[in-house]
Amino acid sequence: MAKIKQQKYKVVFLDYRNVSDDVQQKVSQAARDNQLKPVVWIQSPQLRSLTVSQLINEAKHTDGLQVDDHYFKHYSAKDFVELRSAYTKPIYCSIQPFQAKQLPARGCNQVDVQCYTPSTLRRCMGLADRLNAVTSLASKRTLKYKQKLGNRKFNVFLWPNSNDFHKKARQVKPRNNMNNVVEVTSLMLSEAAISTVIPTEFR
């Protein structure tokens, strides 16, 4: 968390699937202790058939929740209205470029557009500008073009960007303590936000 803060990120998105409550609490607090905002990244909620109340429960240890492109593909506008009405903390919305019309007219505290393909990066950045959204970059594909963003805010999926980091992390034997939290969480960062997922393959 200290290294993330040193790189001037402000938010850390945390994938808490199959992570114990105790570890969730510790990781979220570690983010706060380093002046980062912990936000639960609820990835592919349709695979677990999560209801709105269950989505909110996923965020019980964090200061916000993120719903991603899978949410907008599999849940209705009515579901989002219900989520927004019931959840009082910030909601971060992440979409693929073709989902712009599915974006709720209101209720997202932050929107990011997933600009993960180099050949369409310019168009994707233009869409992010039109939506007043954050540009989400992929560490292996588009983060190297970060300088093209100018003053735009961005997310990076995943963090850290070093393959060596992930190689070493996979070699660590899982233990139920903070030193091995990388074994059980995903991080997605922003300046705006950040993310570490193991394995590092894209969804």
Side-chain angles (χ1 to χ4, degrees):
M1 293 299 178
K3 288 181 180 178
I4 291 169
K5 184 62 178 177
Q6 285 169 9
Q7 294 183 33
K8 300 184 179 177
Y9 290 105
K10 297 177 181 177
V11 178
V12 58
F13 296 121
L14 301 156
D15 183 353
Y16 276 158
R17 286 172 295 179
N18 302 315
V19 177
S20 70
D21 274 4
D22 181 52
V23 173
Q24 289 184 37
Q25 286 181 294
K26 289 177 181 176
V27 174
S28 295
Q29 191 54 50
R32 295 184 193 102
D33 290 345
N34 285 278
Q35 293 78 54
L36 291 162
K37 176 183 276 191
V39 173
V40 70
W41 169 23
I42 304 178
Q43 193 181 34
S44 303
Q46 80 284 358
L47 297 180
R48 292 174 285 160
S49 301
L50 295 180
T51 64
V52 167
S53 61
Q54 288 170 326
L55 284 164
I56 292 170
N57 187 58
E58 293 272 303
K60 61 183 174 292
H61 298 303
T62 58
D63 301 337
L65 67 82
Q66 174 175 272
V67 288
D68 67 7
D69 53 303
H70 298 282
Y71 177 89
F72 291 110
K73 180 178 180 181
H74 296 282
Y75 289 74
S76 69
K78 182 181 176 183
D79 290 322
F80 184 82
V81 169
E82 184 183 345
L83 175 64
R84 179 68 283 178
S85 298
Y87 187 67
T88 58
K89 295 179 183 178
I91 295 178
Y92 296 73
C93 300
S94 180
I95 60 166
Q96 294 190 51
F98 67 85
Q99 293 178 306
K101 290 183 179 178
Q102 292 177 259
L103 196 65
R106 60 181 63 84
C108 298
N109 296 87
Q110 177 179 290
V111 174
D112 77 69
V113 182
Q114 298 172 14
C115 298
Y116 293 167
T117 306
S119 61
T120 60
L121 179 61
R122 187 175 296 277
R123 278 203 313 275
C124 191
M125 286 165 50
L127 174 62
D129 288 345
R130 289 196 297 278
L131 296 175
N132 192 29
V134 171
T135 304
S136 189
L137 304 177
S139 62
K140 288 186 177 181
R141 299 179 187 179
T142 51
L143 183 61
K144 59 189 172 185
Y145 303 112
K146 183 173 70 173
Q147 69 278 5
K148 294 181 182 289
L149 298 181
N151 293 323
R152 295 176 180 88
K153 290 183 177 180
F154 68 94
N155 296 345
V156 56
F157 173 91
L158 316 160
W159 185 94
N161 313 309
S162 158
N163 287 331
D164 286 343
F165 177 91
H166 294 291
K167 198 180 297 179
K168 289 174 185 174
R170 281 194 293 269
Q171 292 168 358
V172 175
K173 291 181 180 179
R175 295 193 301 273
N176 188 23
N177 63 36
M178 285 295 290
N179 293 329
N180 294 288
V181 73
V182 75
E183 288 290 318
V184 289
T185 67
S186 302
L187 301 172
M188 180 172 175
L189 307 169
S190 178
E191 189 201 46
I194 302 188
S195 184
T196 345
V197 176
I198 297 175
T200 57
E201 303 302 324
F202 287 90
R203 291 166 287 165

